[in-house]
Amino acid sequence: MSAKFNIDIHKTAVIVIDMQNVFCEPGQPIYVEETTGIIPKIQELTGTARQAMIPVIYLRMAVRGDGSDTGRLKDMIPSVDETLKKGSHHVEIIKELSPMEGDVIVDKPFFGGFTGTDLDTILRGRGIDTLIICGTLTNVCCETTARQAVEREYKVIFLSDANATRERPDMGWGPVSAEDIQKVTLTTLASLFCQVSPTSQIVHEIQEACTTSSSTH
Amino acid sequence: MSAKFNIDIHKTAVIVIDMQNVFCEPGQPIYVEETTGIIPKIQELTGTARQAMIPVIYLRMAVRGDGSDTGRLKDMIPSVDETLKKGSHHVEIIKELSPMEGDVIVDKPFFGGFTGTDLDTILRGRGIDTLIICGTLTNVCCETTARQAVEREYKVIFLSDANATRERPDMGWGPVSAEDIQKVTLTTLASLFCQVSPTSQIVHEIQEACTTSSSTH
């Protein structure tokens, strides 16, 4: 079965994952073309969240650059100390989604938002128990963060159309399209981990929750 | 790129995930037919590992049964307090893979082997830095455990033909076959997380490492 959580605006946060120049700006070293399509969705979501006083938390993948914090990550991405170095243009959030006053930015040294970061403290300190997850890549940083959050007992709402991924070449089992990765990832998450819903539905639910909240308080 | 790790028999462990009656025995509530095909591979791997004095660690998904440790898990699997209750026939390892003297069994309350368990302590205490992962389901407990291990800086070797999964019905993006899930999961893991190899190759490498080890000590 798939989960369905109620949105309590006082206990919910929006997590925007890795919408950084390195992944979202054409010509950058690890550009993911598919991120173009999710930018308007994330703009709408974060705009609605801020109006509802729901915290908007940006995760950025960013490493020290001196090799001291890249072990297994460097096994897989040998150029990581250059391409994801803190302070570089690469790791900044894209201008279309620039963080605003009151938003929170969390730098993470690996894929999962909870690995080596203070994300859990930030969420618990605010009494957050529900996370709305969007960003890129669907099946890497977003999925890892979703799995981490679920196993920490957070209620996760993963957005089906505001997470983007890219195709993969043949690694031994044939090439895989971005569409197939998206389909399998969303199906796995919806089957056993969390709620998976389109952005428009969640934006509507946040607006509804605001109306209810303001009429009863 | 894909990773390639050398096997040091003194720093490696085999992790056998959820090869329990509930998933592997026909007629059981959450039976996964595809597990039949991986049993001989896991038998060969664990046999070779024991001869090499490589620890064999079995993970079992098992909950208290009183509902006290099933929050988000119960959201997704409402029957979990019955189907995965500790002490029941359901949660025992299948007889074809019965643990032997010296093997370790770790019960876990969720999908990931590191969630709410002493797995990390067991591995660190023995100086283990490399994990060979097999079992079921490929994209749920095995993949979650692999991602957790990688972000804890373990070197992970995920077996392409000794991890099994099942098909999923249409959750909103069309039905997905077991083959497609397996292909996408292996490709994602091999692209960004760890080494993915067939069992025969790893069995051979363990045997080679034993020969080298015994000739130099």
Side-chain angles (χ1 to χ4, degrees), chain B residues 186-203:
Chain B
L186 297 182
T187 301
T188 293
L189 291 177
S191 298
L192 284 160
F193 290 89
C194 61
Q195 179 178 341
V196 181
S197 299
T199 308
S200 60
Q201 179 190 323
I202 300 307
V203 163

Side-chain angles (χ1 to χ4, degrees), chain A residues 72 115 139 144 147 151 153, chain B residues 72 115 139 144 147 151:
Chain A
R72 299 293 77 75
T115 302
N139 57 321
T144 298
R147 290 184 187 229
E151 301 227 347
E153 298 295 329
Chain B
R72 300 292 77 75
T115 302
N139 57 321
T144 298
R147 290 183 188 229
E151 301 227 346

Side-chain angles (χ1 to χ4, degrees), chain A residues 14-16 19 34-50 56 58 94 96-97 132-135 158-164 182 197-204 206-207:
Chain A
V14 167
I15 312 290
V16 181
M19 294 301 288
E34 289 80 357
T35 56
T36 312
I38 65 173
I39 294 171
K41 308 264 182 196
I42 299 177
Q43 286 172 329
E44 189 186 2
L45 175 72
T46 52
T48 306
R50 289 187 193 103
V56 176
Y58 288 86
I94 55 171
E96 295 90 333
L97 294 172
I132 301 168
I133 290 181
C134 60
F158 195 91
L159 297 184
S160 55
D161 56 357
N163 284 279
Q182 189 81 0
S197 299
T199 309
S200 59
Q201 179 190 322
I202 300 307
V203 163
H204 178 71
I206 292 172
Q207 290 165 337

Side-chain angles (χ1 to χ4, degrees), chain A residues 10-97:
Chain A
H10 305 292
K11 296 184 176 178
T12 299
V14 167
I15 312 290
V16 181
I17 300 182
D18 295 9
M19 294 301 288
Q20 299 163 265
N21 293 325
V22 67
F23 302 117
C24 305
E25 193 179 83
Q28 288 277 334
I30 326 180
Y31 177 53
V32 180
E33 191 183 345
E34 289 80 357
T35 56
T36 312
I38 65 173
I39 294 171
K41 308 264 182 196
I42 299 177
Q43 286 172 329
E44 189 186 2
L45 175 72
T46 52
T48 306
R50 289 187 193 103
Q51 286 183 337
M53 304 293 283
I54 288 176
V56 176
I57 300 175
Y58 288 86
L59 305 187
R60 298 192 302 196
M61 201 161 167
V63 302
R64 291 168 184 253
D66 59 3
S68 59
D69 60 347
T70 49
R72 299 293 77 75
L73 181 60
K74 199 165 173 172
D75 293 340
M76 308 306 296
I77 311 174
S79 67
V80 68
D81 292 323
E82 289 160 29
T83 48
L84 291 175
K85 186 176 178 174
K86 282 185 193 181
S88 69
H89 174 74
H90 292 166
V91 302
E92 296 301 320
I93 303 293
I94 55 171
K95 61 180 186 304
E96 295 90 333
L97 294 172

Side-chain angles (χ1 to χ4, degrees), chain A residues 1 45 107 137 206:
Chain A
M1 68 178 261
L45 175 72
D107 284 343
L137 297 169
I206 292 172

Side-chain angles (χ1 to χ4, degrees), chain A residues 1-3 5 69-78 110-115 129 137 139-141 143-145 147-156 160 168-169 171-176 180-197, chain B residues 1-3 5 69-78 110-115 129 137 139-141 143-145 147-156 160 168-169 171-176 180-197:
Chain A
M1 68 178 261
S2 182
F5 301 117
D69 60 347
T70 49
R72 299 293 77 75
L73 181 60
K74 199 165 173 172
D75 293 340
M76 308 306 296
I77 311 174
F110 218 131
F111 304 136
F114 293 90
T115 302
D129 69 6
L137 297 169
N139 57 321
V140 185
C141 294
E143 184 178 7
T144 298
T145 302
R147 290 184 187 229
Q148 289 183 331
V150 171
E151 301 227 347
R152 278 168 177 76
E153 298 295 329
Y154 289 99
K155 299 168 189 170
V156 172
S160 55
R168 293 285 164 192
M171 302 290 292
W173 311 276
V176 190
D180 280 351
I181 294 174
Q182 189 81 0
K183 178 180 175 180
V184 167
T185 305
L186 297 182
T187 300
T188 294
L189 291 177
S191 297
L192 284 159
F193 289 89
C194 61
Q195 179 179 340
V196 182
S197 299
Chain B
M1 67 178 260
S2 182
F5 301 117
D69 60 348
T70 48
R72 300 292 77 75
L73 181 59
K74 201 166 174 171
D75 292 341
M76 307 306 295
I77 311 175
F110 219 130
F111 303 136
F114 293 91
T115 302
D129 68 7
L137 297 169
N139 57 321
V140 185
C141 294
E143 184 178 7
T144 298
T145 301
R147 290 183 188 229
Q148 289 183 331
V150 171
E151 301 227 346
R152 279 168 176 76
E153 297 295 330
Y154 290 100
K155 299 167 189 170
V156 171
S160 54
R168 293 285 164 193
M171 301 292 291
W173 310 277
V176 190
D180 280 351
I181 295 175
Q182 189 81 1
K183 178 180 175 180
V184 168
T185 306
L186 297 182
T187 301
T188 293
L189 291 177
S191 298
L192 284 160
F193 290 89
C194 61
Q195 179 178 341
V196 181
S197 299

